[in-house]
Structures are given as C-alpha cells and as structure tokens.
Amino acid sequence: AQKVTQAQTEISVVEKEDVTLDCVYETRDTTYYLFWYKQPPSGELVFLIRRNSFDEQNEISGRYSWNFQKSTSSFNFTITASQVVDSAVYFCALSDRAGTASKLTFGTGTRLQVTL
Amino acid sequence: KAGVTQTPRYLIKTRGQQVTLSCSPISGHRSVSWYQQTPGQGLQFLFEYFSETQRNKGNFPGRFSGRQFSNSRSEMNVSTLELGDSALYLCASSTRTGGDEQYFGPGTRLTVT
C-alpha cells in the first residue's frame, strides 16, 4: 500500500528565513510520481512540482527547491527567504500504478505560517 | 486557458437528500479525478474518469458515484446524504491518466445539516 507522511503539522517562521518541509513516502512500485501542492486560505490546490521515480536530480525554481532521495524515500521541499505570501498548507502526494490510473495519495499536510 | 471550474461553489443540504456536483476540466484534458477533503480524514481519492470510463475508485460507499461525458465534463453524485459527508469536494483534471500533474478546481463546499 502507498503512504505519504508529513510529520510536521505546523511550522512558523519569520519572513526571510529558510524553511524545509519534509515528506516521506512508501510504495512497492518502482515507477511512481511525487508531487507537491500548495493550498492557500482560498482552498484551491495549486500544483508546484511533479517528479518521477527515475529522476533524482534536485530541482530549483526561484525560491523553491526540492530534494528527492530514493535511498531514504524522501522528497523534501525548501523555501528560501520565505515571504508572507508563502503562508499556506503544503501537501506532498504520491501517484503509483503510473500509466494506468491517476490516484493521488496525499500526506496530511504541513501548515506554514510566515510572519513579519 | 481557463482552469478547472466547479459548480456550485457552496451547497447546503439536509441529511437524506442527494446532491450532484459538476466539474469542467481544462480544455484538452481527458482525465478527471474527484477528492474529498475533511479536517479529520484529509484529502481522499474518490474516483477517476478517463474517456468516460471509471479507471479507479477509492474507498467510499456506493452512495458516491460519478460519470464523465463525451466533452470530458464530469459529475459526482452523493445519495442519502449523511452528516459526515460535509466536506470540500475537489475536482482535478490532467491531460492523460497515470502520473500526469493534476490541476485542481476551487472545490465545492458541501454542508449537510
């Protein structure tokens, strides 16, 4: 069975601090996809990144970066120089059975609060 | 390109009634998935439709059903509503089935009284 664990329930930082959100996953499949989504107070889930299981290269997009390590089954998300607009709930998700179905298994989310 | 749209945005129903929620995917997307979000259970997968066929179903009772039309628009229906069905229902669309990034709509907030 697939499972995603986000052990950090809530994180509070001051603006301009760096913050890392942890994600640990479990799956028996060798082909799978990992995702991060942001849910601001408005409620809509915003897609941030998708990474397949064969690509362990780290990715950077502006202030966002992701570290994928298959050896530890982790897919962590770092925000550099956080801003108040980054305040939201962040979800890590896993999709396996790639090519046959699109079921996303979500973690419980990490609420990030960025204050001035 | 317009995003995923869901109607209605808010809904209040009474226990025992039934409800139908609608989702229009991004143009060109053929896969539509539905999720339920509650404070207690988090985000849970309901089902996925691709080319008018249900491809996968989550662990929900048969009161939850859905369908997809030839234009990829999808509806989900919940019959005999229970208080525990109160939730945010999110629809997501993707180009294909299986591993593609899914883009979510704003959701329908259902309250059952």
mmCIF file of all heavy atoms in Angstrom, chain B residues 43-84:
data_model
loop_
_atom_site.group_PDB
_atom_site.id
_atom_site.type_symbol
_atom_site.label_atom_id
_atom_site.label_comp_id
_atom_site.label_asym_id
_atom_site.label_seq_id
_atom_site.Cartn_x
_atom_site.Cartn_y
_atom_site.Cartn_z
ATOM 1 N N LEU B 43 -7.225 14.664 2.635
ATOM 2 C CA LEU B 43 -7.576 14.559 1.219
ATOM 3 C C LEU B 43 -7.653 13.093 0.831
ATOM 4 O O LEU B 43 -6.664 12.366 0.927
ATOM 5 C CB LEU B 43 -6.520 15.253 0.360
ATOM 6 C CG LEU B 43 -6.658 16.752 0.219
ATOM 7 C CD1 LEU B 43 -5.309 17.382 -0.099
ATOM 8 C CD2 LEU B 43 -7.664 17.089 -0.871
ATOM 9 N N GLN B 44 -8.823 12.681 0.368
ATOM 10 C CA GLN B 44 -9.004 11.290 -0.009
ATOM 11 C C GLN B 44 -9.544 11.183 -1.430
ATOM 12 O O GLN B 44 -10.461 11.905 -1.808
ATOM 13 C CB GLN B 44 -9.972 10.600 0.963
ATOM 14 C CG GLN B 44 -9.421 10.457 2.373
ATOM 15 C CD GLN B 44 -10.356 9.625 3.231
ATOM 16 O OE1 GLN B 44 -11.427 10.079 3.612
ATOM 17 N NE2 GLN B 44 -9.954 8.411 3.520
ATOM 18 N N PHE B 45 -8.988 10.235 -2.160
ATOM 19 C CA PHE B 45 -9.371 9.998 -3.550
ATOM 20 C C PHE B 45 -10.731 9.311 -3.610
ATOM 21 O O PHE B 45 -10.970 8.317 -2.917
ATOM 22 C CB PHE B 45 -8.299 9.122 -4.190
ATOM 23 C CG PHE B 45 -8.618 8.631 -5.565
ATOM 24 C CD1 PHE B 45 -8.457 9.451 -6.665
ATOM 25 C CD2 PHE B 45 -9.062 7.328 -5.760
ATOM 26 C CE1 PHE B 45 -8.732 8.991 -7.940
ATOM 27 C CE2 PHE B 45 -9.337 6.860 -7.022
ATOM 28 C CZ PHE B 45 -9.175 7.689 -8.118
ATOM 29 N N LEU B 46 -11.590 9.863 -4.457
ATOM 30 C CA LEU B 46 -12.918 9.271 -4.652
ATOM 31 C C LEU B 46 -12.933 8.373 -5.881
ATOM 32 O O LEU B 46 -13.215 7.184 -5.797
ATOM 33 C CB LEU B 46 -13.971 10.367 -4.797
ATOM 34 C CG LEU B 46 -14.466 10.986 -3.497
ATOM 35 C CD1 LEU B 46 -15.038 12.375 -3.744
ATOM 36 C CD2 LEU B 46 -15.524 10.097 -2.859
ATOM 37 N N PHE B 47 -12.704 8.955 -7.041
ATOM 38 C CA PHE B 47 -12.627 8.187 -8.290
ATOM 39 C C PHE B 47 -12.011 9.031 -9.395
ATOM 40 O O PHE B 47 -11.893 10.240 -9.277
ATOM 41 C CB PHE B 47 -13.990 7.654 -8.746
ATOM 42 C CG PHE B 47 -15.194 8.436 -8.323
ATOM 43 C CD1 PHE B 47 -15.387 9.742 -8.781
ATOM 44 C CD2 PHE B 47 -16.124 7.890 -7.467
ATOM 45 C CE1 PHE B 47 -16.493 10.469 -8.394
ATOM 46 C CE2 PHE B 47 -17.242 8.609 -7.076
ATOM 47 C CZ PHE B 47 -17.426 9.902 -7.534
ATOM 48 N N GLU B 48 -11.640 8.300 -10.465
ATOM 49 C CA GLU B 48 -11.084 8.935 -11.650
ATOM 50 C C GLU B 48 -11.825 8.465 -12.878
ATOM 51 O O GLU B 48 -12.150 7.275 -12.992
ATOM 52 C CB GLU B 48 -9.599 8.610 -11.811
ATOM 53 C CG GLU B 48 -8.974 9.318 -13.025
ATOM 54 C CD GLU B 48 -7.844 8.536 -13.674
ATOM 55 O OE1 GLU B 48 -7.498 7.441 -13.193
ATOM 56 O OE2 GLU B 48 -7.297 9.043 -14.684
ATOM 57 N N TYR B 49 -12.068 9.387 -13.780
ATOM 58 C CA TYR B 49 -12.686 9.063 -15.067
ATOM 59 C C TYR B 49 -11.754 9.487 -16.193
ATOM 60 O O TYR B 49 -11.141 10.553 -16.140
ATOM 61 C CB TYR B 49 -14.038 9.750 -15.216
ATOM 62 C CG TYR B 49 -15.098 9.115 -14.356
ATOM 63 C CD1 TYR B 49 -15.280 9.521 -13.044
ATOM 64 C CD2 TYR B 49 -15.877 8.076 -14.846
ATOM 65 C CE1 TYR B 49 -16.225 8.912 -12.238
ATOM 66 C CE2 TYR B 49 -16.830 7.464 -14.043
ATOM 67 C CZ TYR B 49 -16.995 7.894 -12.742
ATOM 68 O OH TYR B 49 -17.926 7.287 -11.947
ATOM 69 N N PHE B 50 -11.683 8.619 -17.180
ATOM 70 C CA PHE B 50 -10.888 8.918 -18.369
ATOM 71 C C PHE B 50 -11.639 8.375 -19.566
ATOM 72 O O PHE B 50 -12.008 7.192 -19.585
ATOM 73 C CB PHE B 50 -9.498 8.276 -18.264
ATOM 74 C CG PHE B 50 -8.607 8.543 -19.433
ATOM 75 C CD1 PHE B 50 -7.959 9.754 -19.563
ATOM 76 C CD2 PHE B 50 -8.418 7.573 -20.411
ATOM 77 C CE1 PHE B 50 -7.142 10.011 -20.640
ATOM 78 C CE2 PHE B 50 -7.598 7.822 -21.493
ATOM 79 C CZ PHE B 50 -6.951 9.040 -21.605
ATOM 80 N N SER B 51 -11.873 9.229 -20.534
ATOM 81 C CA SER B 51 -12.633 8.832 -21.725
ATOM 82 C C SER B 51 -13.936 8.151 -21.350
ATOM 83 O O SER B 51 -14.256 7.058 -21.850
ATOM 84 C CB SER B 51 -11.783 7.890 -22.614
ATOM 85 O OG SER B 51 -10.702 8.594 -23.157
ATOM 86 N N GLU B 52 -14.639 8.768 -20.429
ATOM 87 C CA GLU B 52 -15.990 8.351 -19.999
ATOM 88 C C GLU B 52 -16.014 7.035 -19.230
ATOM 89 O O GLU B 52 -17.090 6.497 -18.958
ATOM 90 C CB GLU B 52 -16.932 8.264 -21.210
ATOM 91 C CG GLU B 52 -17.073 9.573 -21.974
ATOM 92 C CD GLU B 52 -17.972 9.452 -23.185
ATOM 93 O OE1 GLU B 52 -19.182 9.201 -23.004
ATOM 94 O OE2 GLU B 52 -17.468 9.607 -24.315
ATOM 95 N N THR B 53 -14.844 6.520 -18.871
ATOM 96 C CA THR B 53 -14.771 5.250 -18.137
ATOM 97 C C THR B 53 -14.156 5.491 -16.762
ATOM 98 O O THR B 53 -13.176 6.221 -16.634
ATOM 99 C CB THR B 53 -13.894 4.238 -18.906
ATOM 100 O OG1 THR B 53 -14.442 4.042 -20.209
ATOM 101 C CG2 THR B 53 -13.825 2.910 -18.169
ATOM 102 N N GLN B 54 -14.724 4.865 -15.751
ATOM 103 C CA GLN B 54 -14.123 4.967 -14.434
ATOM 104 C C GLN B 54 -12.870 4.100 -14.400
ATOM 105 O O GLN B 54 -12.930 2.886 -14.589
ATOM 106 C CB GLN B 54 -15.112 4.491 -13.359
ATOM 107 C CG GLN B 54 -14.621 4.760 -11.943
ATOM 108 C CD GLN B 54 -15.602 4.302 -10.876
ATOM 109 O OE1 GLN B 54 -15.588 3.150 -10.455
ATOM 110 N NE2 GLN B 54 -16.460 5.210 -10.440
ATOM 111 N N ARG B 55 -11.738 4.713 -14.095
ATOM 112 C CA ARG B 55 -10.471 3.999 -14.137
ATOM 113 C C ARG B 55 -10.057 3.500 -12.757
ATOM 114 O O ARG B 55 -9.301 2.547 -12.640
ATOM 115 C CB ARG B 55 -9.365 4.926 -14.668
ATOM 116 C CG ARG B 55 -9.580 5.390 -16.086
ATOM 117 C CD ARG B 55 -9.580 4.223 -17.051
ATOM 118 N NE ARG B 55 -8.333 3.465 -16.994
ATOM 119 C CZ ARG B 55 -7.264 3.730 -17.724
ATOM 120 N NH1 ARG B 55 -7.280 4.743 -18.560
ATOM 121 N NH2 ARG B 55 -6.188 2.998 -17.629
ATOM 122 N N ASN B 56 -10.506 4.189 -11.739
ATOM 123 C CA ASN B 56 -10.078 3.817 -10.393
ATOM 124 C C ASN B 56 -11.095 4.364 -9.403
ATOM 125 O O ASN B 56 -11.731 5.392 -9.667
ATOM 126 C CB ASN B 56 -8.690 4.407 -10.108
ATOM 127 C CG ASN B 56 -7.984 3.702 -8.969
ATOM 128 O OD1 ASN B 56 -8.511 2.770 -8.377
ATOM 129 N ND2 ASN B 56 -6.779 4.149 -8.658
ATOM 130 N N LYS B 57 -11.247 3.674 -8.292
ATOM 131 C CA LYS B 57 -12.217 4.101 -7.291
ATOM 132 C C LYS B 57 -11.585 4.013 -5.921
ATOM 133 O O LYS B 57 -10.875 3.051 -5.609
ATOM 134 C CB LYS B 57 -13.460 3.210 -7.356
ATOM 135 C CG LYS B 57 -14.641 3.727 -6.550
ATOM 136 C CD LYS B 57 -15.852 2.827 -6.747
ATOM 137 C CE LYS B 57 -17.126 3.431 -6.191
ATOM 138 N NZ LYS B 57 -17.059 3.861 -4.796
ATOM 139 N N GLY B 58 -11.834 5.007 -5.086
ATOM 140 C CA GLY B 58 -11.323 4.995 -3.726
ATOM 141 C C GLY B 58 -12.234 4.201 -2.811
ATOM 142 O O GLY B 58 -13.193 3.563 -3.247
ATOM 143 N N ASN B 59 -11.942 4.284 -1.540
ATOM 144 C CA ASN B 59 -12.656 3.511 -0.530
ATOM 145 C C ASN B 59 -13.865 4.263 0.014
ATOM 146 O O ASN B 59 -13.876 4.666 1.169
ATOM 147 C CB ASN B 59 -11.678 3.220 0.602
ATOM 148 C CG ASN B 59 -11.740 1.782 1.021
ATOM 149 O OD1 ASN B 59 -12.395 0.962 0.387
ATOM 150 N ND2 ASN B 59 -11.046 1.481 2.099
ATOM 151 N N PHE B 60 -14.839 4.444 -0.792
ATOM 152 C CA PHE B 60 -16.054 5.152 -0.387
ATOM 153 C C PHE B 60 -17.255 4.264 -0.666
ATOM 154 O O PHE B 60 -17.232 3.442 -1.579
ATOM 155 C CB PHE B 60 -16.180 6.477 -1.157
ATOM 156 C CG PHE B 60 -15.323 7.578 -0.597
ATOM 157 C CD1 PHE B 60 -13.985 7.673 -0.941
ATOM 158 C CD2 PHE B 60 -15.844 8.503 0.292
ATOM 159 C CE1 PHE B 60 -13.175 8.663 -0.414
ATOM 160 C CE2 PHE B 60 -15.056 9.514 0.816
ATOM 161 C CZ PHE B 60 -13.718 9.584 0.460
ATOM 162 N N PRO B 61 -18.326 4.451 0.112
ATOM 163 C CA PRO B 61 -19.523 3.615 -0.113
ATOM 164 C C PRO B 61 -20.173 3.901 -1.460
ATOM 165 O O PRO B 61 -19.898 4.909 -2.103
ATOM 166 C CB PRO B 61 -20.442 4.027 1.052
ATOM 167 C CG PRO B 61 -19.939 5.349 1.512
ATOM 168 C CD PRO B 61 -18.475 5.365 1.255
ATOM 169 N N GLY B 62 -21.045 3.005 -1.858
ATOM 170 C CA GLY B 62 -21.706 3.115 -3.148
ATOM 171 C C GLY B 62 -22.599 4.336 -3.289
ATOM 172 O O GLY B 62 -23.042 4.649 -4.402
ATOM 173 N N ARG B 63 -22.838 5.037 -2.191
ATOM 174 C CA ARG B 63 -23.640 6.273 -2.273
ATOM 175 C C ARG B 63 -22.916 7.346 -3.101
ATOM 176 O O ARG B 63 -23.533 8.278 -3.594
ATOM 177 C CB ARG B 63 -23.895 6.843 -0.874
ATOM 178 C CG ARG B 63 -24.632 5.927 0.074
ATOM 179 C CD ARG B 63 -24.946 6.615 1.389
ATOM 180 N NE ARG B 63 -23.744 6.993 2.145
ATOM 181 C CZ ARG B 63 -23.304 8.243 2.262
ATOM 182 N NH1 ARG B 63 -23.932 9.251 1.686
ATOM 183 N NH2 ARG B 63 -22.215 8.501 2.996
ATOM 184 N N PHE B 64 -21.624 7.177 -3.228
ATOM 185 C CA PHE B 64 -20.822 8.114 -4.016
ATOM 186 C C PHE B 64 -20.650 7.534 -5.425
ATOM 187 O O PHE B 64 -20.141 6.416 -5.587
ATOM 188 C CB PHE B 64 -19.446 8.313 -3.382
ATOM 189 C CG PHE B 64 -19.486 9.050 -2.080
ATOM 190 C CD1 PHE B 64 -19.798 8.382 -0.900
ATOM 191 C CD2 PHE B 64 -19.216 10.408 -2.025
ATOM 192 C CE1 PHE B 64 -19.843 9.068 0.313
ATOM 193 C CE2 PHE B 64 -19.249 11.102 -0.823
ATOM 194 C CZ PHE B 64 -19.569 10.425 0.350
ATOM 195 N N SER B 65 -21.078 8.274 -6.403
ATOM 196 C CA SER B 65 -20.958 7.804 -7.776
ATOM 197 C C SER B 65 -20.582 8.969 -8.678
ATOM 198 O O SER B 65 -20.680 10.138 -8.273
ATOM 199 C CB SER B 65 -22.262 7.170 -8.262
ATOM 200 O OG SER B 65 -23.302 8.137 -8.259
ATOM 201 N N GLY B 66 -20.183 8.652 -9.868
ATOM 202 C CA GLY B 66 -19.803 9.720 -10.786
ATOM 203 C C GLY B 66 -19.995 9.281 -12.213
ATOM 204 O O GLY B 66 -20.353 8.127 -12.500
ATOM 205 N N ARG B 67 -19.781 10.216 -13.099
ATOM 206 C CA ARG B 67 -19.784 9.894 -14.515
ATOM 207 C C ARG B 67 -19.030 10.983 -15.267
ATOM 208 O O ARG B 67 -18.813 12.087 -14.747
ATOM 209 C CB ARG B 67 -21.207 9.759 -15.047
ATOM 210 C CG ARG B 67 -22.077 10.996 -14.891
ATOM 211 C CD ARG B 67 -23.439 10.765 -15.512
ATOM 212 N NE ARG B 67 -24.349 11.879 -15.305
ATOM 213 C CZ ARG B 67 -25.514 12.006 -15.945
ATOM 214 N NH1 ARG B 67 -25.897 11.092 -16.819
ATOM 215 N NH2 ARG B 67 -26.297 13.045 -15.704
ATOM 216 N N GLN B 68 -18.673 10.651 -16.494
ATOM 217 C CA GLN B 68 -17.991 11.619 -17.343
ATOM 218 C C GLN B 68 -18.668 11.638 -18.696
ATOM 219 O O GLN B 68 -19.040 10.578 -19.224
ATOM 220 C CB GLN B 68 -16.507 11.263 -17.494
ATOM 221 C CG GLN B 68 -15.706 12.315 -18.250
ATOM 222 C CD GLN B 68 -14.244 11.947 -18.385
ATOM 223 O OE1 GLN B 68 -13.899 10.779 -18.538
ATOM 224 N NE2 GLN B 68 -13.368 12.936 -18.348
ATOM 225 N N PHE B 69 -18.801 12.809 -19.235
ATOM 226 C CA PHE B 69 -19.464 12.963 -20.519
ATOM 227 C C PHE B 69 -18.443 13.011 -21.651
ATOM 228 O O PHE B 69 -17.235 13.100 -21.410
ATOM 229 C CB PHE B 69 -20.314 14.239 -20.496
ATOM 230 C CG PHE B 69 -21.341 14.246 -19.396
ATOM 231 C CD1 PHE B 69 -21.072 14.862 -18.178
ATOM 232 C CD2 PHE B 69 -22.564 13.612 -19.566
ATOM 233 C CE1 PHE B 69 -22.006 14.852 -17.151
ATOM 234 C CE2 PHE B 69 -23.498 13.602 -18.548
ATOM 235 C CZ PHE B 69 -23.218 14.214 -17.329
ATOM 236 N N SER B 70 -18.945 12.982 -22.870
ATOM 237 C CA SER B 70 -18.053 12.919 -24.032
ATOM 238 C C SER B 70 -17.185 14.172 -24.159
ATOM 239 O O SER B 70 -16.124 14.147 -24.774
ATOM 240 C CB SER B 70 -18.858 12.703 -25.319
ATOM 241 O OG SER B 70 -19.808 13.741 -25.472
ATOM 242 N N ASN B 71 -17.604 15.279 -23.565
ATOM 243 C CA ASN B 71 -16.787 16.507 -23.608
ATOM 244 C C ASN B 71 -15.841 16.599 -22.408
ATOM 245 O O ASN B 71 -15.264 17.652 -22.155
ATOM 246 C CB ASN B 71 -17.680 17.742 -23.666
ATOM 247 C CG ASN B 71 -18.579 17.872 -22.441
ATOM 248 O OD1 ASN B 71 -18.556 17.009 -21.554
ATOM 249 N ND2 ASN B 71 -19.371 18.932 -22.386
ATOM 250 N N SER B 72 -15.701 15.504 -21.692
ATOM 251 C CA SER B 72 -14.829 15.345 -20.518
ATOM 252 C C SER B 72 -15.367 15.976 -19.240
ATOM 253 O O SER B 72 -14.791 15.767 -18.179
ATOM 254 C CB SER B 72 -13.402 15.879 -20.782
ATOM 255 O OG SER B 72 -12.762 15.082 -21.743
ATOM 256 N N ARG B 73 -16.445 16.710 -19.332
ATOM 257 C CA ARG B 73 -17.063 17.233 -18.108
ATOM 258 C C ARG B 73 -17.494 16.074 -17.227
ATOM 259 O O ARG B 73 -17.837 14.990 -17.733
ATOM 260 C CB ARG B 73 -18.253 18.116 -18.449
ATOM 261 C CG ARG B 73 -18.805 18.911 -17.280
ATOM 262 C CD ARG B 73 -19.943 19.831 -17.741
ATOM 263 N NE ARG B 73 -21.146 19.098 -18.107
ATOM 264 C CZ ARG B 73 -22.067 18.690 -17.248
ATOM 265 N NH1 ARG B 73 -21.925 18.943 -15.956
ATOM 266 N NH2 ARG B 73 -23.132 18.024 -17.672
ATOM 267 N N SER B 74 -17.456 16.291 -15.925
ATOM 268 C CA SER B 74 -17.775 15.192 -15.009
ATOM 269 C C SER B 74 -18.745 15.661 -13.940
ATOM 270 O O SER B 74 -18.795 16.846 -13.586
ATOM 271 C CB SER B 74 -16.491 14.666 -14.365
ATOM 272 O OG SER B 74 -16.775 13.646 -13.408
ATOM 273 N N GLU B 75 -19.507 14.738 -13.465
ATOM 274 C CA GLU B 75 -20.394 14.984 -12.341
ATOM 275 C C GLU B 75 -20.173 13.914 -11.296
ATOM 276 O O GLU B 75 -19.837 12.761 -11.631
ATOM 277 C CB GLU B 75 -21.872 14.933 -12.781
ATOM 278 C CG GLU B 75 -22.318 16.106 -13.615
ATOM 279 C CD GLU B 75 -23.791 16.004 -13.994
ATOM 280 O OE1 GLU B 75 -24.401 14.921 -13.809
ATOM 281 O OE2 GLU B 75 -24.332 17.014 -14.489
ATOM 282 N N MET B 76 -20.335 14.301 -10.031
ATOM 283 C CA MET B 76 -20.368 13.290 -8.991
ATOM 284 C C MET B 76 -21.665 13.454 -8.210
ATOM 285 O O MET B 76 -22.194 14.552 -8.070
ATOM 286 C CB MET B 76 -19.157 13.343 -8.067
ATOM 287 C CG MET B 76 -19.054 14.528 -7.165
ATOM 288 S SD MET B 76 -17.898 14.214 -5.793
ATOM 289 C CE MET B 76 -18.918 13.261 -4.681
ATOM 290 N N ASN B 77 -22.189 12.341 -7.767
ATOM 291 C CA ASN B 77 -23.463 12.320 -7.072
ATOM 292 C C ASN B 77 -23.286 11.633 -5.727
ATOM 293 O O ASN B 77 -22.586 10.625 -5.618
ATOM 294 C CB ASN B 77 -24.484 11.561 -7.935
ATOM 295 C CG ASN B 77 -25.866 11.580 -7.329
ATOM 296 O OD1 ASN B 77 -26.167 10.778 -6.459
ATOM 297 N ND2 ASN B 77 -26.694 12.502 -7.769
ATOM 298 N N VAL B 78 -23.905 12.209 -4.731
ATOM 299 C CA VAL B 78 -23.931 11.566 -3.421
ATOM 300 C C VAL B 78 -25.397 11.415 -3.028
ATOM 301 O O VAL B 78 -26.139 12.398 -2.972
ATOM 302 C CB VAL B 78 -23.198 12.377 -2.342
ATOM 303 C CG1 VAL B 78 -23.090 11.559 -1.057
ATOM 304 C CG2 VAL B 78 -21.813 12.799 -2.819
ATOM 305 N N SER B 79 -25.801 10.182 -2.812
ATOM 306 C CA SER B 79 -27.195 9.942 -2.441
ATOM 307 C C SER B 79 -27.290 9.726 -0.933
ATOM 308 O O SER B 79 -26.296 9.434 -0.262
ATOM 309 C CB SER B 79 -27.727 8.710 -3.179
ATOM 310 O OG SER B 79 -26.987 7.570 -2.807
ATOM 311 N N THR B 80 -28.485 9.872 -0.420
ATOM 312 C CA THR B 80 -28.767 9.654 1.007
ATOM 313 C C THR B 80 -27.679 10.298 1.870
ATOM 314 O O THR B 80 -26.921 9.622 2.588
ATOM 315 C CB THR B 80 -28.860 8.149 1.326
ATOM 316 O OG1 THR B 80 -29.576 7.482 0.291
ATOM 317 C CG2 THR B 80 -29.620 7.952 2.636
ATOM 318 N N LEU B 81 -27.580 11.585 1.786
ATOM 319 C CA LEU B 81 -26.525 12.318 2.466
ATOM 320 C C LEU B 81 -26.507 12.071 3.972
ATOM 321 O O LEU B 81 -27.558 11.955 4.631
ATOM 322 C CB LEU B 81 -26.683 13.816 2.208
ATOM 323 C CG LEU B 81 -26.245 14.298 0.826
ATOM 324 C CD1 LEU B 81 -26.777 15.697 0.556
ATOM 325 C CD2 LEU B 81 -24.732 14.257 0.703
ATOM 326 N N GLU B 82 -25.287 12.000 4.490
ATOM 327 C CA GLU B 82 -25.074 11.859 5.927
ATOM 328 C C GLU B 82 -24.292 13.076 6.413
ATOM 329 O O GLU B 82 -23.621 13.757 5.631
ATOM 330 C CB GLU B 82 -24.288 10.581 6.218
ATOM 331 C CG GLU B 82 -24.987 9.321 5.752
ATOM 332 C CD GLU B 82 -24.155 8.072 5.997
ATOM 333 O OE1 GLU B 82 -23.018 8.195 6.504
ATOM 334 O OE2 GLU B 82 -24.651 6.968 5.671
ATOM 335 N N LEU B 83 -24.367 13.318 7.721
ATOM 336 C CA LEU B 83 -23.662 14.476 8.278
ATOM 337 C C LEU B 83 -22.162 14.412 7.952
ATOM 338 O O LEU B 83 -21.523 15.430 7.693
ATOM 339 C CB LEU B 83 -23.867 14.549 9.790
ATOM 340 C CG LEU B 83 -25.292 14.791 10.272
ATOM 341 C CD1 LEU B 83 -25.345 14.803 11.802
ATOM 342 C CD2 LEU B 83 -25.847 16.096 9.712
ATOM 343 N N GLY B 84 -21.624 13.209 7.951
ATOM 344 C CA GLY B 84 -20.199 13.015 7.696
ATOM 345 C C GLY B 84 -19.780 13.300 6.269
ATOM 346 O O GLY B 84 -18.588 13.310 5.970
#
